Amino acid sequence: PAGAYTLAVTDSNGCDTSTGPHIVYDIGAPSAPLASADATYCTGDPIADLTATGTGGIITWYSDAALTDSIGSGSPFTSGATASDTFYVTETVIGCESSADTVIITVNSIPPAPVAGNDSTYCSGNPVADLTAAGTTGTLVWYSDAALTDSIGNGSPFSSGATVTDTFYVAETENGCISLPDTVIITIIPLPPA
């Protein structure tokens, strides 16, 4: 504990000497470092390095809340996470270790591609049936492009509004992760001249 202490020493001849007072300060453990925010990813996404900001001490990362399994030090720290996990980080200053802050990494699965309805052919001017697709538990999203950058509608059935030959792409989105697409090709045959 903190206080003023006298150091007494007895040598091998039985002679005593003392020095002091020696002041011992109790600086206490440092505050927990400030860890980076929790983050969510999709399976296969690169996981960003974890960071923590302290007061200049030693930053240590752990895999467990009991702080018994040290897995690295410093900031930034490459977690190597491939699945959802929690990481704990402390700071040690002059031999005193802080409590831990945490970073929760959530890795969500990519849903399977939905199964779209069949391709269809129509004569120009005939009504085009709504497009359909079956997915799992996510949201079906329709796109006009294979890169899935131009969203044109959600759900099934979906009214495409097609008046010329076109390809429609449907993917399933769940927990921020998007599946590969399936396609529906609508072919519009022009009417022969009268």
Side-chain angles (χ1 to χ4, degrees), residues 7-191:
L7 178 63
V9 177
T10 302
D11 67 16
S12 58
N13 296 319
C15 297
D16 296 327
T17 186
S18 63
T19 63
H22 298 278
I23 307 299
V24 175
Y25 298 96
D26 182 3
I27 62 168
S31 299
L34 179 62
S36 49
D38 299 343
T40 301
Y41 300 90
C42 298
T43 299
D45 286 350
I47 306 294
D49 288 347
L50 308 183
T51 61
T53 304
T55 59
I58 298 169
I59 299 292
T60 306
W61 296 89
Y62 296 88
S63 66
D64 63 319
L67 309 180
T68 60
D69 183 25
S70 171
I71 55 174
S73 62
S75 178
F77 167 69
T78 302
S79 70
T82 57
S84 295
D85 209 345
T86 301
F87 298 89
Y88 305 84
V89 60
T90 65
E91 181 179 19
T92 302
V93 176
I94 314 176
C96 297
E97 188 171 29
S98 71
S99 57
D101 195 3
T102 59
V103 180
I104 299 172
I105 299 297
T106 303
V107 179
N108 291 318
S109 298
I110 296 173
V115 178
N118 294 328
D119 298 342
S120 299
T121 301
Y122 300 90
C123 292
S124 181
N126 286 352
V128 175
D130 288 346
L131 308 184
T132 61
T136 54
T137 58
T139 301
L140 295 172
V141 183
W142 295 87
Y143 297 87
S144 65
D145 63 318
L148 308 182
T149 60
D150 184 24
S151 170
I152 55 175
N154 294 339
S156 177
F158 165 68
S159 178
S160 69
T163 57
V164 296
T165 297
D166 207 347
T167 301
F168 298 89
Y169 304 83
V170 60
E172 184 171 1
T173 299
E174 188 169 21
N175 296 320
C177 300
I178 188 167
S179 72
L180 294 172
D182 197 2
T183 59
V184 179
I185 299 172
I186 300 298
T187 303
I188 307 292
I189 300 173
L191 294 175

